[in-house]
Amino acid sequence: MTEIQAVLCGYYGKGNGGDEALLVSMLEMLPPQVKPLVLSATPRATSKSYGVKSYDRMNSGSVVRALKESQVLILGGGSLIQDATSLRNSIYYGGLMGLAQQFGLKTIAIAQGIGPVNKPLTRWIAKRAFSNCTAVSVRDPASAALLADWGIDCIMAPDPVWSMAATPVPEIASIASPKIAVTLRSHPQLTNERLETLTTALVDLQAATGSHVLLVPFQPTTDLDLARQIQAELTDNSQVVTLTDPKQLKGLFQGVDLAIGMRYHSLIMAAAEGCKCWAVSYDPKVSKLMTEIDLPGWELADIPTDAATITQAWQQQLETGTALSNESLQTIRQKSIAHKDLLSEAIDRI
């Protein structure tokens, strides 16, 4: 069996638990003949954590060397080409795919969440990049519909993190229930006033239910200060939990009774581990997830201004809400394997 080297690119090495979970999922999907080379913001840390070759994603010389050493570029996964935040990511990933294609590499896009692509330049980049791919898979109906409008074939399957193995965290598992995990992130719409309202609601929820509150910064560089700020208002029956291993991050939700989350992958991890969830959406991808698996929650811009209303909704979800059934979870996990099957088929054609 001839060895193939594949460049893996995504939002890797930035310390974001969700994107690191996607990298772990991508590495698990690779056929045995594929040797990965990961483009990362912190290549040494990536190599140490996952035992792979890694180059600096922003060093043009390293990127060109990586492409020249390889036969395949795998873009995966997540919302890499979109203009909700800025054009920079779309230009970077679209440009990287175009360069790889110029060098004669096959390009494969896996588990993409495409869009929003409202700007003409972003749409042109996206259409051009995906049109020239050997294979494309997406993780939501809106992305599939967009590619269909452009005449680009793809398959649709749930995010691969649904089926990523979880590693239990014994020190969390040993805490008595009820347990509530909170994953908030900084955002312009999370104003001081809204944060104060959410914090008051959480304080009142803890008082009403006797819950142990876990504040989980999914990207510590941006989320840790926020978690500490909230934790300072709670009783001693709370803690900030910082984990860097994506499998442990998922395993943390085992036995958690309610997850209140902004982060997309925090909600996937929590739901996948049988946890009741409440979403606070700051991004279309979170709103899509809420629709797809019927998650209760609010758009960040529309959260109630009255803390008591929030507390009541959370308490009701904690006490009488339902998690996804085992049957539903089994179906989702089984469907998510389609990304791996497509990747294997595409690699076999090289």
Side-chain angles (χ1 to χ4, degrees):
M1 187 179 293
T2 304
E3 184 177 84
I4 294 171
Q5 181 159 286
V7 177
L8 273 60
C9 64
Y11 198 72
Y12 307 144
K14 296 278 193 174
N16 183 307
D19 290 294
E20 294 304 296
L22 281 170
L23 175 56
V24 169
S25 299
M26 292 295 150
L27 293 172
E28 289 179 344
M29 287 184 202
L30 293 178
Q33 74 271 29
V34 176
K35 178 183 177 183
L37 192 165
V38 179
L39 297 182
S40 169
T42 51
R44 287 185 181 179
T46 296
S47 291
K48 183 178 179 181
S49 295
Y50 308 116
V52 296
K53 184 190 292 188
S54 183
Y55 288 171
D56 186 345
R57 73 194 296 273
M58 297 308 293
N59 183 307
S60 57
S62 294
V63 170
V64 169
R65 185 165 71 253
L67 294 176
K68 287 185 175 180
E69 292 175 1
S70 306
Q71 294 79 48
V72 184
L73 174 76
I74 301 172
L75 181 74
S79 301
L80 301 177
I81 296 186
Q82 48 81 22
D83 52 24
T85 51
S86 74
L87 280 171
R88 287 181 298 176
N89 282 345
S90 296
I91 292 171
Y92 175 83
Y93 294 111
L96 184 62
M97 292 170 75
L99 185 61
Q101 289 158 1
Q102 285 184 13
F103 283 177
L105 279 74
K106 301 295 184 182
T107 54
I108 304 169
I110 296 293
Q112 294 297 298
I114 307 166
V117 284
N118 297 319
K119 297 179 175 63
L121 177 58
T122 319
R123 294 179 72 83
W124 179 83
I125 290 172
K127 187 174 181 180
R128 182 180 178 87
F130 291 117
S131 292
N132 293 318
C133 281
T134 299
V136 181
S137 71
V138 298
R139 66 185 187 188
D140 62 88
S143 297
L146 182 63
L147 292 183
D149 286 345
W150 293 341
I152 299 171
D153 291 333
C154 70
I155 67 160
M156 182 181 70
D159 191 287
V161 174
W162 281 103
S163 54
M164 183 186 76
T167 300
V169 184
E171 55 269 35
I172 300 300
S174 63
I175 297 170
S177 290
K179 287 176 281 191
I180 299 172
V182 180
T183 59
L184 298 186
R185 55 154 293 166
S186 298
H187 190 271
Q189 290 184 340
L190 185 58
T191 60
N192 289 335
E193 183 178 4
R194 286 184 177 130
L195 178 59
E196 183 177 337
T197 302
L198 288 171
T199 302
T200 299
L202 188 60
V203 169
D204 293 344
L205 178 66
Q206 184 185 43
T209 62
S211 297
H212 187 97
V213 178
L214 307 167
L215 296 141
V216 188
F218 253 58
Q219 188 167 5
T221 54
T222 59
D223 301 354
L224 183 56
D225 287 346
L226 184 60
R228 287 172 173 165
Q229 182 181 342
I230 297 169
Q231 200 267 338
E233 302 297 322
L234 297 166
T235 69
D236 291 338
N237 198 26
S238 63
Q239 65 190 100
V240 175
V241 184
T242 303
L243 297 169
T244 57
D245 180 346
K247 292 188 175 183
Q248 282 193 325
L249 198 53
K250 191 178 185 187
L252 173 147
F253 292 100
Q254 294 174 354
V256 166
D257 300 280
L258 175 65
I260 300 167
M262 286 177 67
R263 292 279 186 185
Y264 176 82
H265 280 105
S266 75
L267 293 165
I268 286 180
M269 290 181 183
E273 296 305 310
C275 184
K276 300 172 188 176
C277 297
W278 191 277
V280 179
S281 178
Y282 71 98
D283 187 280
K285 65 187 176 187
V286 179
S287 301
K288 291 174 189 175
L289 181 66
M290 292 168 67
T291 300
E292 289 161 18
I293 61 171
D294 197 23
L295 280 186
W298 300 295
E299 297 292 325
L300 178 56
D302 300 327
I303 62 170
T305 56
D306 174 39
T309 302
I310 298 174
T311 300
Q312 183 179 17
W314 285 345
Q315 186 170 354
Q316 184 175 352
Q317 178 68 354
L318 174 64
E319 295 175 352
T320 64
T322 57
L324 288 176
S325 68
N326 288 334
E327 183 180 359
S328 295
L329 287 173
Q330 186 176 0
T331 299
I332 291 171
R333 293 185 188 119
Q334 189 63 37
K335 286 181 177 179
S336 73
I337 295 172
H339 297 293
K340 179 179 180 179
D341 294 340
L342 181 76
L343 179 60
S344 296
E345 291 168 8
I347 294 291
D348 286 343
R349 295 199 300 268
I350 294 173

